[in-house]
Structures are given as structure tokens and as C-alpha cells.
Amino acid sequence: MIDQRLLRTDLDGVKAALSRRGDPKLLDAVDHAAQLDTRLRDIQAERDEIRAQVNTISKDVGMLRRDGKVDEAEALQAQSRQFGATEKSLAGEHDDVSSLLNDLLLGLPNVPHADAPDGVSDADNPVITGPVGMNATFPDWQRVPHWETAKALGILDNERATKISGAMFTMQRGAGATMARALTQFGLDRNADVHEEIRPPSLVTTATLTATGQLPKFSDDAYSIERDDLWCVPTAEASLTSLFSGEVLEDTNLPVRLMAFSPSFRREAGSAGRDTRGMLRTHEFDKVEMLAFATPEQAPALLDDMVGRAASAMGDLGLPYRVIEICTGDMGQSHHRTFDVEVYAPGVDAWLEVSSVSWFADYQARRGNTRFRRHDEDGKPVKGSEFVHTLNGSALAVPRVWAAIIENYRNEDGSVTVPEVLHPYMRNITVIR
């Protein structure tokens, strides 16, 4: 969440920043939050004043009783009881206002980075890099949707996946399943130089999803296991972001760079019938995620590095790609600055998002209470701590990359050539026939 202190020290700045997101309701919510914050501080001041008066009365009552002035002492005690009732009422109001304010803050999005482009929708997202490796024209045999090619080759069986699990689930078979696994291992191997591999749980608590910003806003898009108060991860980001929740890291150990393979589960409520054929939009898919914990000073360079890694992976696979920056009106709730990597799929004649790399500033760390401690030039710890900055991005999301390979590498005879970088993982399969 955003820093609550900014509601007191820079309310106009917060409103100006959030106004760039293009939702006027946000400004009303910020004003309401500022009013609640002011009331909380007023309540605390009133409670402190009452407690001071009660303490004074207690001393006076003791003195009066020692002097034998019982009636006066009892009158003061009655007054003290009235103050106590008022203090109890204020305590209840404090809890109510605090809960309302917390709910409001959880719902407020992050403030966009000053350099994030302004815009109202994905139509306003500028292309930053590319297109790279884009053909001037594509032959007719590459203009075939991947689901038609995959069905003909027997490597995608969504009909039986639907029989097993329902709509919007997929099932790769044979060389198709092997290539899906190969993409996962490729995504891990090419980032293992600086990222520690983690295999996190695929089920997480409500607190964990709240820390990343998935809850409460996106609860309808997540799969919940109500009996155990657990959720299926929508991405390994959810698990990794909470890895150090409640801890204080040392700046000498930052950045911490992690990567993880995990299944990802997304209900995607309301999207049935849209891009649901083939592998483009599914309820469950595999993904390799990158994540970093950093100081504010380290974050910009890490963002550039992660974008470069996601983009160069597509180049290594020989896929046409481009990088776009997400404008303020299209930005996710937790995002401070975001870049998407897209690949071109000629069979569906579309640019497919295959990676979204985001810098969250301290928004997620504040929700998850993950801090770091600085050290001075002599290596001595500086008093106090700060919230870390978090960044994450898809190193490789399998379904759409898989689909793009099937379409870009389709041959005239209907076979599909396997990208050379995947050969070591394919059990000697170089062409899928």
C-alpha cells in the first residue's frame, strides 16, 4: 500500500500522482482516507488527554481519602468513571475508523513512476524496443492457428482436458508436453547465473496474496480453498514476495534475486469465450518467475536487467518480439512501472504478451512488512529500517511461447521445427511430425 504518512505530508502530491491513472473515484478515496487518518489522530489525542486527566484524578482521589474527604473523593471517582466510559467509546471508534482506513489503503493502487507514460488504455502503450526479428511477410503455412497444427500433430488434446477438468484447461501430449517442459527448464537455466532457484508451495494464505496486491481486489480471479483459508497461486510472485515477510534484511545482502517454476492458477472471471482456443487463455499454466528484493537505489538497474532477460529469451528462441511500456491508465494496481514483452504469432495475427516485468517500489513490502537496514561507510548498522523495493517478471510463461513457436516454426508440410536452443531438452526431437 502507499505510505499513510503521505496523506498528511503530501496529500496533493498523492492525488496528482494517482490522477494519472485516469480513475476519478481514486481521488475521492484518497480524500476519504485522509479524513479517516485525521480522525484517527484526533481520537488518539482525545484518548491521551482523557488518560492524563484520569491519572490526575487518581492522585487527587488518593490525597482526598488520606485527608478524610470521602464525599469529594467519591465525586471525583464518579467523574473518572465517566471519563473511562468516554475513553472506551473512543477506543471502539478508533477500531472502526482504523479498519475502514486499512480497507481503503488496501484498495488504493500504487503511485506511478514519474517516467511512466500517461494514457488511458492499452492503446496508449508505447513500443520501446522492436519489433525484433519480424519478417516482412509470412507464408501461408505459418498463418495457421497453433491449435489446428497442434491437433493435427497430436500434441494438444484440449477436448480430453475439458473432459477431465472443464473448460479453459489444456493438455499437451507427446512432443508437445516435452516442449512445454523444455521451455520451463530453458527459462530456469538461462537465469541461474544470478537468480537462486526456489520451489515454493503452490498454495498460499490470504495474508500472502494480500501482500502482493492480489487481494482483496482480484479475489474473483483467484481459486480459493475456503476450508483451509488457502489460495492457489496465480503466479510464483505471490509466494516469493512473502518469503521475507516480517523480516529485516541487511543492505549488504541486497539485492536478493530469486527465480521459481510453479503452476499458475487464474479463474479469469468473465473471460470465457475470449481467446479460449488453444493455449492463449487457460485456468492453469506453467511459468518461470523472476523476483528481486532491492534498495530503492538498486531497483532501476534491476528493472532494466529483468526486462532484458525476458526479451532476450524470446530472441534466443528465434521469435519476433517487441517491448512495450505500460501507460498509467493500463497499469496494474501494485505497479510503479511496468514493461511487457510480446511475441508475434502469425497464425492468430496477434502480438501475445509473454512477460510482464514490474517495479513495485515499496508498495508490496509495506503490505508484507519486509524491511532492510542500511550500514554506514564503516559497515556499522544505521539506526532504523526501511521497506525494501520489490520487482518481478515472467522469465518464461509457457502457453503463449509454446503457441508462438508452433505458428512461427510451422513448415509447409505441417511439421514444426524445434528451436535450436531447446534441442538439449527435447530427447533428440528436432522436428515435430
Side-chain angles (χ1 to χ4, degrees):
M1 59 181 70
I2 63 173
D3 188 348
Q4 184 175 334
R5 292 172 298 181
L6 293 175
L7 300 176
R8 310 162 198 167
T9 62
D10 191 18
L11 179 60
D12 289 340
V14 172
K15 293 175 68 174
L18 290 182
S19 68
R20 298 175 61 207
R21 285 182 170 269
D23 183 357
K25 294 180 181 178
L26 290 177
L27 305 186
D28 293 336
V30 172
D31 282 332
H32 190 194
Q35 293 167 4
L36 293 175
D37 179 69
T38 298
R39 180 54 189 153
L40 271 184
R41 287 181 289 132
D42 289 345
I43 291 173
Q44 190 58 51
E46 291 177 44
R47 292 176 72 182
D48 290 344
E49 175 63 26
I50 287 174
R51 287 166 181 168
Q53 293 189 49
V54 169
N55 288 336
T56 299
I57 288 174
S58 295
K59 294 177 183 178
D60 292 343
V61 167
M63 293 175 62
L64 289 170
R65 287 193 179 279
R66 282 195 300 271
D67 294 341
K69 300 178 180 179
V70 177
D71 291 343
E72 293 181 41
E74 290 181 351
L76 282 179
Q77 281 185 313
Q79 185 179 357
S80 178
R81 286 191 292 271
Q82 291 177 346
F83 279 132
T86 301
E87 200 275 336
K88 183 177 181 180
S89 175
L90 287 171
E93 184 184 358
H94 184 279
D95 291 344
D96 291 342
V97 173
S98 180
S99 178
L100 286 172
L101 177 58
N102 187 63
D103 289 345
L104 263 180
L105 290 174
L106 285 175
L108 286 177
N110 202 353
V111 295
H113 189 279
D115 293 337
D118 289 321
V120 296
S121 71
D122 56 2
D124 299 317
N125 296 333
V127 176
I128 303 301
T129 303
V132 177
M134 184 71 169
N135 296 336
T137 60
F138 288 84
D140 290 342
W141 61 79
Q142 288 182 316
R143 292 292 186 183
V144 179
H146 66 276
W147 55 84
E148 293 182 10
T149 300
K151 183 175 182 179
L153 293 173
I155 60 175
L156 186 66
D157 192 349
N158 284 359
E159 289 79 5
R160 287 186 174 85
T162 300
K163 180 171 68 174
I164 295 169
S165 302
M168 294 179 67
F169 285 91
T170 69
M171 183 169 68
Q172 303 85 44
R173 301 185 64 165
T178 303
M179 190 165 73
R181 177 189 49 76
L183 285 168
T184 297
Q185 194 61 54
F186 168 70
L188 289 168
D189 285 355
R190 71 183 317 279
N191 293 293
D193 57 327
V194 295
H195 294 84
E196 177 189 355
E197 183 175 355
I198 304 288
R199 179 55 178 95
S202 298
L203 301 178
V204 296
T205 65
T206 296
T208 297
L209 276 196
T210 301
T212 59
Q214 301 286 338
L215 294 180
K217 184 173 182 179
F218 300 109
S219 59
D220 288 344
D221 287 336
Y223 281 96
S224 66
I225 303 173
E226 295 181 3
R227 176 178 174 179
D228 301 297
D229 189 27
L230 292 171
W231 302 76
C232 300
V233 289
T235 164
E237 171 200 349
S239 307
L240 296 181
T241 301
S242 291
L243 206 62
F244 300 110
S245 178
E247 299 183 34
V248 179
L249 306 174
E250 306 296 334
D251 66 347
T252 52
N253 295 328
L254 295 175
V256 174
R257 305 178 72 174
L258 309 171
M259 65 178 182
F261 156 75
S262 77
S264 300
F265 301 89
R266 300 183 186 179
R267 189 181 300 277
E268 299 197 274
S271 64
R274 179 185 170 208
D275 298 334
T276 55
R277 291 178 293 181
M279 297 275 283
L280 299 186
R281 190 176 294 272
T282 64
H283 286 322
E284 178 186 357
F285 59 95
D286 291 337
K287 184 153 70 86
V288 176
E289 194 79 2
M290 299 179 287
L291 187 134
F293 298 90
T295 67
E297 296 81 9
Q298 294 168 338
L302 285 171
L303 179 66
D304 291 342
D305 179 75
M306 293 169 74
V307 172
R309 286 174 177 272
S312 63
M314 299 304 103
D316 290 350
L317 287 165
L319 296 174
Y321 74 89
R322 67 183 184 183
V323 179
I324 64 173
E325 183 166 7
I326 304 304
C327 71
T328 53
D330 191 37
M331 195 176 286
Q333 169 164 311
S334 304
H335 300 175
H336 183 52
R337 195 174 188 186
T338 299
F339 296 86
D340 281 2
V341 179
E342 300 179 333
V343 296
Y344 181 72
V348 293
D349 189 24
W351 287 96
L352 308 177
E353 177 202 322
V354 294
S355 177
S356 187
V357 182
S358 299
W359 172 17
F360 302 94
D362 61 0
Y363 185 89
Q364 292 180 326
R366 192 178 300 278
R367 296 166 81 105
N369 191 26
T370 304
R371 295 174 172 267
F372 77 96
R373 180 170 29 242
R374 293 186 185 271
H375 291 71
D376 62 22
E377 294 178 355
D378 297 324
K380 296 180 180 179
V382 176
K383 185 178 180 181
S385 62
E386 303 172 35
F387 290 106
V388 299
H389 279 211
T390 57
L391 306 95
N392 91 280
S394 304
L396 200 148
V398 171
R400 293 181 181 181
V401 176
W402 191 97
I405 289 173
I406 298 301
E407 296 184 8
N408 280 279
Y409 281 89
R410 190 179 192 274
N411 301 310
E412 189 171 5
D413 64 358
S415 64
V416 173
T417 300
V418 176
E420 186 175 351
V421 292
L422 297 183
H423 288 183
Y425 311 108
M426 288 293 297
R427 301 197 193 102
N428 299 318
I429 299 173
T430 58
V431 179
I432 302 173
R433 302 186 185 278

